[in-house]
Amino acid sequence: MRNDYSKKSPEKEVAGKQMHDLMRRLYPICRSITGNGLRETLRILKEIIPLEIREVSTGTSVFDWTIPKEWNVKDAYVKNTGGEKVIDFKKSSLHVLNYSLPVHEKMPLSQLKEHLFTIPEHPDWIPYRTSYFKERWGFCLSQNQFSAMTDGEYEVFIDSTFTDGSLSYGEFYVQGECQDEVLFSTHVCHPSMCNDNLSGVVLCTFLARYLSEVKPYYSYRFLFIPGTIGSITWLSQNESTVGRIKHGLVVACVGDAGKPTYKKSRHGTSIIDRAVLQMLRHSGKEFDVKDFSPYGYDERQYCSPGFDLPVGSLTRTPHGCFPQYHTSADNLEFVLPANLGESFGYYTKVVDILENNRTYISTNQKCEPQLGRRGLYNQLGGRPDAEIAEMALLWVLNFSDGNNSLLDIAERSAMPFEKIHEAALLLEHYGLLREKHL
Ligand code: ZN
């Protein structure tokens, strides 16, 4: 046997509940592309998986980019003349424009207005806005809050700091039997929002824990990074070993109730693309498939031409396509445990396909072996899927000429991968099949 990948993945319902509990804990923290909120998040994940927290100093060059100053915010508010806080960062981390300059001034509403962001079409929701590369300050608030603000003077306070610090990211590596790697990458820089992207963070955490408890064939690398600058940083610092990545997925927006959506790698026909499509085709659910485009999450960096890694992205509703996207409505009620559990199931099925996709050679290349004499038909008798299982045996026997992997055979036969895999194991047990190169 090539590996001992036999432990059953956790029940989806249990995983979904655990993921949602972790999400609830991470939700209030004010994260950004650098700073203590990001670090605290990684420290909490470390309680579940022993990930390495890496720090890259401000000013470090990473390809065409430079690690920015570290941003931290302790408090922020806007007070009216009565001393009442009409906007309070302590109530939602979204209230501060992410990467705001510090400010402490009094000003009339007419002047303050230029620094306020709302979503008029959703008057209860607070938008999420950032200003990483333009020096300014601002507040995000609901349209209703804004409408209630009367003319007059306001005290504006943002207690933020920009320092020569570092950019933090988390890395967790599961050593498999071989050095070839599967990459799972997720962005961990967004403040209090659940689908984008605490859902990706918690799914990766529990997938990592699961894989660290089995003995996989592949090695698995999990990256918990700030979006864009994080993947650029990691690629820049690991250029010499990036070639070990044979398959990869960017994990984001996996907690809403929408149908699964797969965005292909730049190649479009890599094993990872085929494995995800195989899983989706036999999931019994509706799904969407999109070709690669140079817009989206960190697949943009992994699939840049100088790396061109086989990395796709498996989400539910894609970014920007659900109204709650980048608002306070992307909250703990929008993302349900059942949806997280279902997404976890999609990911573990993809891992199953990658782990079990082997190439076999039939020991009877001239004509079919006599299956009845070996009791193989009896093995299948009585099963509700006996006919499918028998058909799978014939497909595996015929196409196991050393040139077709089990995934090739599953695609060609239009049968679910697990049926083809099951048939291969049975034939191997009876000595009718041997793994290539073994
Ligand atoms: Zn986002």
Side-chain angles (χ1 to χ4, degrees), residues 20 30 47 78 90 106 118 125 238 272-273 295-296 348 357 385 420:
H20 201 267
C30 182
E47 293 173 18
V78 173
K90 298 250 159 76
K106 285 192 174 165
T118 66
W125 300 357
N238 294 276
I272 187 66
D273 299 313
Y295 185 65
T348 53
N357 184 29
D385 65 342
I420 295 295

Tab-separated table of all heavy atoms in Angstrom, residues 20 30 47 78 90 106 118 125 238 272-273 295-296 348 357 385 420:
chain	number	residue	atom	x	y	z
A	20	HIS	N	-18.226	26.724	13.258
A	20	HIS	CA	-19.024	27.910	13.584
A	20	HIS	C	-18.670	28.441	14.979
A	20	HIS	O	-18.616	29.660	15.187
A	20	HIS	CB	-20.518	27.592	13.484
A	20	HIS	CG	-21.364	28.808	13.309
A	20	HIS	ND1	-21.927	29.480	14.372
A	20	HIS	CD2	-21.728	29.503	12.198
A	20	HIS	CE1	-22.604	30.522	13.924
A	20	HIS	NE2	-22.500	30.566	12.605
A	30	CYS	N	-10.551	42.830	15.448
A	30	CYS	CA	-10.272	43.746	14.333
A	30	CYS	C	-8.981	43.310	13.647
A	30	CYS	O	-7.880	43.540	14.141
A	30	CYS	CB	-10.136	45.181	14.827
A	30	CYS	SG	-9.844	46.313	13.444
A	47	GLU	N	-4.233	27.094	18.971
A	47	GLU	CA	-4.780	26.202	20.006
A	47	GLU	C	-5.334	24.920	19.381
A	47	GLU	O	-5.474	23.902	20.035
A	47	GLU	CB	-5.928	26.909	20.758
A	47	GLU	CG	-5.476	28.093	21.585
A	47	GLU	CD	-6.669	28.858	22.158
A	47	GLU	OE1	-7.787	28.307	22.211
A	47	GLU	OE2	-6.472	30.022	22.559
A	78	VAL	N	-16.802	58.668	17.312
A	78	VAL	CA	-17.249	60.021	16.985
A	78	VAL	C	-18.275	60.390	18.056
A	78	VAL	O	-19.237	59.642	18.277
A	78	VAL	CB	-17.894	60.077	15.575
A	78	VAL	CG1	-18.506	61.456	15.324
A	78	VAL	CG2	-16.871	59.743	14.494
A	90	LYS	N	-15.805	50.092	19.423
A	90	LYS	CA	-15.948	48.951	20.357
A	90	LYS	C	-17.180	48.111	20.017
A	90	LYS	O	-17.265	46.940	20.386
A	90	LYS	CB	-16.046	49.472	21.802
A	90	LYS	CG	-14.792	50.218	22.253
A	90	LYS	CD	-14.012	49.439	23.300
A	90	LYS	CE	-12.546	49.833	23.435
A	90	LYS	NZ	-12.297	51.081	24.149
A	106	LYS	N	-11.944	68.316	16.530
A	106	LYS	CA	-13.368	68.657	16.537
A	106	LYS	C	-13.688	69.285	15.196
A	106	LYS	O	-12.879	70.072	14.674
A	106	LYS	CB	-13.669	69.637	17.675
A	106	LYS	CG	-13.671	68.926	19.019
A	106	LYS	CD	-14.243	69.781	20.113
A	106	LYS	CE	-14.350	68.928	21.383
A	106	LYS	NZ	-14.561	69.736	22.552
A	118	THR	N	-21.165	54.975	3.915
A	118	THR	CA	-22.411	54.243	4.217
A	118	THR	C	-22.851	53.459	2.974
A	118	THR	O	-22.255	53.607	1.906
A	118	THR	CB	-23.562	55.204	4.586
A	118	THR	OG1	-23.876	55.988	3.428
A	118	THR	CG2	-23.206	56.113	5.742
A	125	TRP	N	-26.878	48.380	7.281
A	125	TRP	CA	-25.587	47.699	7.190
A	125	TRP	C	-24.414	48.673	7.242
A	125	TRP	O	-24.471	49.760	6.674
A	125	TRP	CB	-25.493	46.886	5.889
A	125	TRP	CG	-26.528	45.826	5.735
A	125	TRP	CD1	-27.492	45.472	6.649
A	125	TRP	CD2	-26.722	44.980	4.591
A	125	TRP	NE1	-28.264	44.456	6.146
A	125	TRP	CE2	-27.821	44.124	4.894
A	125	TRP	CE3	-26.087	44.842	3.354
A	125	TRP	CZ2	-28.286	43.161	3.997
A	125	TRP	CZ3	-26.542	43.884	2.457
A	125	TRP	CH2	-27.630	43.056	2.786
A	238	ASN	N	9.732	31.764	-0.572
A	238	ASN	CA	9.781	30.294	-0.739
A	238	ASN	C	9.943	29.895	-2.196
A	238	ASN	O	9.568	28.786	-2.586
A	238	ASN	CB	8.512	29.654	-0.156
A	238	ASN	CG	8.433	29.829	1.354
A	238	ASN	OD1	9.002	29.051	2.102
A	238	ASN	ND2	7.761	30.872	1.792
A	272	ILE	N	-5.956	19.102	-10.159
A	272	ILE	CA	-6.849	19.725	-9.168
A	272	ILE	C	-8.151	20.176	-9.829
A	272	ILE	O	-9.231	20.004	-9.265
A	272	ILE	CB	-6.154	20.897	-8.410
A	272	ILE	CG1	-7.029	21.408	-7.265
A	272	ILE	CG2	-5.792	22.066	-9.329
A	272	ILE	CD1	-7.260	20.445	-6.149
A	273	ASP	N	-8.064	20.715	-11.036
A	273	ASP	CA	-9.282	21.139	-11.745
A	273	ASP	C	-10.178	19.925	-11.987
A	273	ASP	O	-11.390	19.983	-11.784
A	273	ASP	CB	-8.919	21.778	-13.098
A	273	ASP	CG	-8.054	23.012	-12.940
A	273	ASP	OD1	-8.400	23.849	-12.093
A	273	ASP	OD2	-7.039	23.141	-13.651
A	295	TYR	N	-8.554	38.148	-11.659
A	295	TYR	CA	-9.186	38.947	-10.621
A	295	TYR	C	-9.758	37.984	-9.601
A	295	TYR	O	-10.276	36.936	-9.978
A	295	TYR	CB	-10.296	39.833	-11.216
A	295	TYR	CG	-10.898	40.762	-10.202
A	295	TYR	CD1	-10.128	41.773	-9.632
A	295	TYR	CD2	-12.214	40.619	-9.790
A	295	TYR	CE1	-10.669	42.617	-8.674
A	295	TYR	CE2	-12.757	41.472	-8.837
A	295	TYR	CZ	-11.975	42.467	-8.281
A	295	TYR	OH	-12.513	43.291	-7.329
A	296	GLY	N	-9.668	38.334	-8.331
A	296	GLY	CA	-10.201	37.425	-7.315
A	296	GLY	C	-9.321	37.453	-6.088
A	296	GLY	O	-8.945	38.533	-5.636
A	348	THR	N	-13.028	17.634	1.762
A	348	THR	CA	-12.465	16.320	2.109
A	348	THR	C	-12.637	15.344	0.944
A	348	THR	O	-11.788	14.485	0.732
A	348	THR	CB	-13.087	15.737	3.396
A	348	THR	OG1	-14.512	15.745	3.271
A	348	THR	CG2	-12.693	16.523	4.619
A	357	ASN	N	-5.888	8.747	-6.122
A	357	ASN	CA	-5.746	8.695	-7.574
A	357	ASN	C	-4.419	8.033	-7.955
A	357	ASN	O	-3.384	8.674	-8.025
A	357	ASN	CB	-5.810	10.113	-8.157
A	357	ASN	CG	-5.755	10.071	-9.666
A	357	ASN	OD1	-6.192	9.084	-10.280
A	357	ASN	ND2	-5.200	11.100	-10.273
A	385	ASP	N	-26.119	-1.402	-5.145
A	385	ASP	CA	-25.422	-0.840	-6.296
A	385	ASP	C	-24.602	-1.904	-7.027
A	385	ASP	O	-23.594	-1.605	-7.664
A	385	ASP	CB	-24.514	0.309	-5.846
A	385	ASP	CG	-23.395	-0.195	-4.944
A	385	ASP	OD1	-23.518	-1.317	-4.402
A	385	ASP	OD2	-22.384	0.526	-4.801
A	420	ILE	N	-14.997	3.708	-8.640
A	420	ILE	CA	-13.833	3.240	-9.393
A	420	ILE	C	-12.709	2.859	-8.431
A	420	ILE	O	-12.064	1.814	-8.576
A	420	ILE	CB	-13.377	4.355	-10.383
A	420	ILE	CG1	-14.451	4.610	-11.446
A	420	ILE	CG2	-12.035	4.037	-11.017
A	420	ILE	CD1	-14.717	3.444	-12.385
